[in-house]
Amino acid sequence: MKPSDLTYRLHRYLYGYQRYRLRPETAPLYEQIVSKIDQPAFIERFRKYWDPFADSKAPKFLELNYWLRENVTQYLWAKIGVDGRKLRVLDIGSGCGFFLVVCRHLGHEVLGLDLDEEPLYRDSFDFFGLKRLIHRIEPCQPLPPLPHKMDLISAYLTCFNHLPDGSPWSAEGWRFFLSDIRSRLAEGGRVIIRFNLNHKTGEFYSGAVEKEIHSLPGFRAKFFLDYGLLSVV
């Protein structure tokens, strides 16, 4: 899937409409969550990282109101917890942990997984009182042991699937990763992957990767925009 593909462009229109319809739910939930954050303490804690021209660097995530609202929208759009169940959530590549802050606010048990190379992310997890596993994801290597089966495993704007030379994982790399993920999921579990654009290929994911994921046993898969949405069957 490329940004220039007709399917992607049509999905963008539909996605924008879906997000627009969520605005009446997004605003009050965002206000609930942000009201519980000591914003002066946040500003003081992260002042040392502030960069007005952060672009793609980690300090761009210091725009707390924007990113928190964005993660509220992501949560609602994905229809997480709509049946009222409290879920065990693992977020891979969890960054500052804003998605986990939203999930925890709504009563879910949350855990992050990331590298420990960015001090801002380390400080953010400490500030919000979140837990995370430190682990580097490598092609065809399993995740570390988890404390229990998960109901939801998410990975937003993935970077782990970009190799050091910029090339993407093969279809086989995704097969191994998701087969391992399947073994960590409880019955009825879900996987949400939002692919990052690979600037070497100009794709979010290749046709071969999409085909491979569709063929995985134990999952029902759907692709929409730059998302891969999988459910345990």
Side-chain angles (χ1 to χ4, degrees), residues 136-153:
R136 180 181 295 277
I137 296 175
E138 301 282 4
C140 298
Q141 295 295 321
L143 294 180
L146 301 179
H148 42 60
K149 296 270 189 178
M150 297 291 170
D151 301 297
L152 172 65
I153 297 180

Side-chain angles (χ1 to χ4, degrees), residues 56-210:
S56 62
K57 302 174 189 174
K60 72 178 183 179
F61 294 111
L62 293 178
E63 293 288 348
L64 176 64
N65 294 334
Y66 172 81
W67 289 106
L68 191 58
R69 189 184 297 272
E70 182 68 16
N71 279 275
V72 167
T73 303
Q74 294 274 14
Y75 179 95
L76 294 172
W77 178 81
K79 298 182 179 179
I80 299 167
V82 291
D83 60 359
R85 290 192 304 129
K86 302 309 178 187
L87 308 178
R88 292 163 297 182
V89 178
L90 174 69
D91 188 37
I92 296 174
S94 42
C96 286
F98 294 137
F99 179 68
L100 296 178
V101 169
V102 174
C103 290
R104 185 180 61 184
H105 176 81
L106 291 160
H108 306 300
E109 183 179 346
V110 302
L111 178 66
L113 186 149
D114 211 338
L115 303 176
D116 191 25
E117 296 178 347
E118 175 51 62
L120 190 157
Y121 298 160
R122 188 185 313 134
D123 274 0
S124 184
F125 262 68
D126 180 65
F127 180 84
F128 289 114
L130 297 167
K131 297 179 181 178
R132 68 174 180 169
L133 297 173
I134 305 303
H135 178 77
R136 180 181 295 277
I137 296 175
E138 301 282 4
C140 298
Q141 295 295 321
L143 294 180
L146 301 179
H148 42 60
K149 296 270 189 178
M150 297 291 170
D151 301 297
L152 172 65
I153 297 180
S154 56
Y156 287 100
L157 298 176
T158 58
C159 293
F160 61 79
N161 58 306
H162 295 177
L163 300 175
D165 67 355
S167 58
W169 275 8
S170 66
E172 177 56 35
W174 279 107
R175 169 173 281 276
F176 183 96
F177 175 74
L178 288 169
S179 296
D180 181 50
I181 288 286
R182 174 65 181 84
S183 70
R184 317 306 181 99
L185 285 165
E187 290 306 309
R190 297 173 61 193
V191 180
I192 300 172
I193 299 171
R194 188 171 192 183
F195 296 89
N196 233 330
L197 183 67
N198 186 293
H199 294 287
K200 188 169 186 175
T201 65
E203 295 179 314
F204 294 105
Y205 51 85
S206 68
V209 166
E210 182 176 359

